[in-house]
Amino acid sequence: MAILDSNVKQDTNFEARQAAWHQTLDTMHGETEIIRLGGGKASQEKQLKRGKMLARQRIEALCDPGTFIEWGIWVGHGMYEEYRGAPAGGVVTGTGMIEGREVMVVANDATVKAGAWFPITCKKILRAQEMALENRLPIVYLVDSAGVFLPLQDEIFPDREHFGRVFYNNARLSAEGIFQMAAVMGSCVAGGAYLPIMSDESHIVEGTGSIFLAGSHLVKAAIGEQIDNQELGGAVVQCDISGVVDHRHPDDASCLAKIRSQFSQLAATPRAPFARREPRPPLHPAEEIFGIVPVDRSRPYDVRDLLARLMDGSELDEFKATHGQTLVCGTGWIDGWAVGIVANQRSIVPRRTGTGPRDKELQIGGVIYSDSAAKGARFVEVCNQKGIPLIFIQDVTGFMVGSRAERGGIIKDGAKMVNAVANSVVPKITLFVGNSYGAGNYAMCGKAYGARFVYAWPSAAIAVMGGEQASKTLLGIQLKNRGDGVSEDEKKNLLDRIQKRYSDAMDPRYAASRLWVDDIIDPRQTREILSRSLACASLNDRLPEFKTGVLQT
């Protein structure tokens, strides 16, 4: 297997890029620390005084030390400001290990509106269940929620992907034999009561845990009965008398310890037969990634320099290396897992158009041409035939446009790639490194194309088209609608406003807040996160037959 030759420190902009990256990461780290405060220090102290652990403390006690990887921390960022926000969507989610077993964890953060569900909270929990179902991951729910956030009930209650879908997924997960454990560690009210009881096994904490279809206030209003919440549906009532809950515990710590002990008894599940070997580190440190990726997303770089810092031994066995060169495809290993790589090439590359040594033209980096689309489709088919998981590394400005591309059948070749990616049955993991524009997002396995896990670096930008092109297009439309008589100053002010709005929407935090990506990750952690994602994906050994639909030739 070929070693990727990469000596990037000679680049005069290397250190400047590194400095810019560190500044960006420092800013984002500071913002995530604020998000981790949930509803604020006062709300956290109030919860602790009640003898309850905070959501992330519960997860720390539940999982094996150092194994929990939180995703979705940016969910809800910048949303619901009229209600003082919903940090992390009011729920903490991620994958960890319990007694050496990979699991999905969902923990309500009761410091955020008493753990009430915003629309984005529901979407985040549904995504966690989707991951559990696709990867056959056992799932633990740590329940501490006041139910639906009533001011927004019309956006969360009745539709297909709303609140009720969570309990629908409960039923499907259980029927599929995917183990679900729930612990009622605070409020669990109304329709939310079905989540722990539709799980396979349930726990409740005395004094703080309660579960009922209607709380004491609603009971009094509905039937005139006066009763407090513990008498109505506390641990003793629901465990000893009704038998609704299976186990009760004196405090959070003992509840979580019991769950850990029960997971040690869980039968091992068969794994997918993906190739695995002893891991080897790359030949180059991950820190050097910061000197490779330009601050300006329009600037070129060689994606092989990135791969040299991600792949075991910095090795890649390229597929059609001299053909369709704006897409780099090949097989290799990441932390001992065999993977297929589909990565956009951002450097400008020559393409041979004839037989003579000078008969070449330049292709624009980051653009998918007909030859690279056909190559990508073919490679995805080959990886499915071999049973090799796929890693898509996106930095794509779209498919090539213009008369030459259209006459060459760019739509036909693009459709081949989209078809192959859509029908791929091996695990797909997508990493947004830079641009992700237009149909390039789809062909490179964006969120709509069934990636098991979707991550972004802080350098990512997701949009229909680039900011400059989109802003000028929108400006032209608005000026046409306004007619003549618009001054140059008005045009400039209008363009500035459009560009700012579009730029804000291209920020990776905007994408992560809406779950277009599962999380924004530090590039230095990419290998670890990809490896853990592959380990989770390997729990599902049920790969259907790979086949595509009708393809134009």
Side-chain angles (χ1 to χ4, degrees):
M1 192 172 292
I3 295 175
L4 295 165
D5 184 28
S6 178
N7 185 7
V8 295
K9 285 190 174 181
Q10 296 177 349
D11 190 331
T12 55
N13 295 316
F14 184 85
E15 292 184 0
R17 290 172 184 160
Q18 279 191 318
W21 263 99
H22 283 296
Q23 184 178 357
T24 297
L25 288 170
D26 287 345
T27 299
M28 296 188 79
H29 177 72
E31 292 175 351
T32 57
E33 288 305 302
I34 294 172
I35 293 172
R36 289 177 193 278
L37 293 175
K41 289 185 177 179
S43 294
Q44 290 187 338
E45 289 169 3
K46 183 178 178 181
Q47 181 161 325
L48 292 169
K49 284 179 182 178
R50 292 186 60 198
K52 297 166 66 176
M53 292 179 175
L54 303 175
R56 291 179 178 85
Q57 290 176 338
R58 289 168 173 165
I59 293 173
E60 186 177 347
L62 176 69
C63 294
D64 298 347
T67 64
F68 182 70
I69 297 178
E70 182 176 353
W71 58 263
I73 194 167
W74 293 97
V75 168
H77 178 70
M79 302 170 69
Y80 313 117
E81 294 301 318
E82 64 272 36
Y83 303 109
R84 297 186 180 178
V91 62
V92 183
T93 55
T95 54
M97 301 185 81
I98 301 177
E99 297 294 336
R101 181 69 176 268
E102 293 279 0
V103 298
M104 175 67 67
V105 184
V106 176
N108 297 113
D109 185 351
T111 70
V112 180
K113 299 292 188 297
W117 289 38
F118 287 77
I120 200 68
T121 313
C122 187
K123 186 175 181 180
K124 186 173 178 179
I125 293 173
L126 289 173
R127 175 61 177 153
Q129 290 181 317
E130 179 184 44
M131 287 179 173
L133 190 60
E134 287 181 331
N135 300 290
R136 300 192 64 80
L137 279 170
I139 185 166
V140 179
Y141 306 100
L142 304 180
V143 184
D144 194 347
S145 171
V148 168
F149 186 62
L150 290 177
L152 298 173
Q153 64 86 26
D154 61 319
E155 298 180 37
I156 190 174
F157 170 63
D159 211 345
R160 186 178 185 273
E161 302 297 332
H162 283 179
F163 196 62
R165 191 73 175 186
V166 172
F167 320 129
Y168 172 88
N169 286 343
N170 275 145
R172 290 183 63 217
L173 285 157
S174 186
E176 283 288 324
I178 300 168
F179 184 68
Q180 298 173 92
M181 182 79 84
V184 180
M185 312 185 83
S187 297
C188 185
V189 61
Y194 289 106
L195 185 145
I197 308 310
M198 291 187 71
S199 297
D200 300 305
E201 197 165 1
S202 59
H203 300 253
I204 190 168
V205 177
E206 298 169 12
T208 54
S210 60
I211 178 170
F212 33 64
L213 292 180
S216 55
H217 295 296
L218 182 53
V219 166
K220 183 177 180 181
I223 64 173
E225 181 183 5
Q226 188 154 343
I227 188 170
D228 70 28
N229 284 339
Q230 284 299 311
E231 290 179 298
L232 180 65
V236 173
V237 171
Q238 298 290 28
C239 193
D240 298 18
I241 299 174
S242 72
V244 166
V245 181
D246 303 315
H247 312 276
R248 64 179 171 94
H249 309 276
D251 52 40
D252 284 8
S254 59
C255 177
L256 297 166
K258 175 58 72 174
I259 293 174
R260 283 185 55 81
S261 71
Q262 290 174 328
F263 261 83
S264 68
Q265 300 170 335
L266 220 60
T269 57
R271 289 184 178 267
F274 302 135
R276 191 89 203 270
R277 72 178 190 185
E278 192 66 27
R280 293 166 51 198
L283 300 180
H284 308 279
E287 178 74 27
E288 290 183 357
I289 290 172
F290 297 152
I292 296 169
V293 179
V295 178
D296 181 353
R297 283 190 292 265
S298 66
R299 303 295 298 172
Y301 63 90
D302 192 337
V303 74
R304 294 181 184 84
D305 289 329
L306 294 185
L307 296 175
R309 286 146 185 87
L310 296 179
M311 309 298 292
D312 287 12
S314 298
E315 293 177 340
L316 183 71
D317 187 7
E318 279 204 57
F319 177 82
K320 295 183 183 290
T322 57
H323 178 75
Q325 294 184 67
T326 61
L327 202 65
V328 173
C329 301
T331 54
W333 306 81
I334 290 182
D335 198 33
W337 293 98
V339 295
I341 300 293
V342 182
N344 300 115
Q345 174 61 288
R346 285 306 312 276
S347 64
I348 298 173
V349 296
R351 179 178 68 172
R352 186 178 297 277
T353 58
T355 56
R358 296 183 182 178
D359 193 8
K360 295 182 179 181
E361 66 173 344
L362 292 180
Q363 290 188 328
I364 302 168
V367 177
I368 301 176
Y369 289 78
S370 284
D371 54 358
S372 48
K375 167 181 166 178
R378 173 76 171 162
F379 181 71
V380 168
E381 290 177 326
V382 169
C383 285
N384 274 271
Q385 189 79 345
K386 291 181 174 180
I388 301 176
L390 286 161
I391 309 290
F392 292 84
I393 300 178
Q394 285 208 25
D395 195 344
V396 56
T397 52
F399 285 88
M400 190 59 190
V401 297
S403 60
R404 181 169 183 167
E406 297 295 351
R407 292 172 184 178
I410 185 66
I411 298 174
K412 174 186 65 178
D413 291 316
K416 289 179 187 175
M417 186 174 180
V418 169
N419 197 317
V421 172
N423 286 295
S424 175
V425 297
V426 296
K428 297 173 288 190
I429 301 172
T430 300
L431 174 66
F432 293 88
V433 167
N435 304 306
S436 179
Y437 298 157
N441 172 281
Y442 304 154
M444 291 295 294
C445 198
K447 183 71 179 288
Y449 279 74
R452 299 275 189 96
F453 301 91
V454 185
Y455 303 110
W457 285 357
S459 49
I462 303 172
V464 172
M465 64 180 75
E468 183 179 352
Q469 299 96 313
S471 299
K472 289 181 178 178
T473 301
L474 287 168
L475 177 65
I477 293 169
Q478 293 196 24
L479 291 177
K480 181 179 179 181
N481 292 336
R482 292 188 182 195
D484 298 331
V486 181
S487 69
E488 291 302 316
D489 285 343
E490 287 177 313
K491 289 180 184 179
K492 184 180 183 306
N493 290 335
L494 185 58
L495 180 61
D496 289 344
R497 289 199 301 272
I498 293 171
Q499 286 180 333
K500 183 184 186 309
R501 187 168 69 248
Y502 205 84
S503 177
D504 290 344
M506 289 173 65
D507 189 296
R509 284 165 285 206
Y510 188 93
S513 72
R514 289 154 179 80
L515 274 170
W516 300 349
V517 299
D518 294 319
D519 208 12
I520 303 171
I521 64 174
D522 185 326
R524 293 169 294 192
Q525 297 178 302
T526 301
R527 267 175 58 84
E528 175 194 357
I529 290 172
L530 290 178
S531 175
R532 286 287 300 279
S533 300
L534 289 162
C536 289
S538 73
L539 291 174
N540 188 349
D541 66 332
R542 305 177 184 181
L543 295 182
E545 179 187 358
F546 172 69
K547 55 184 178 181
T548 59
V550 176
L551 299 178
Q552 286 199 28
T553 57

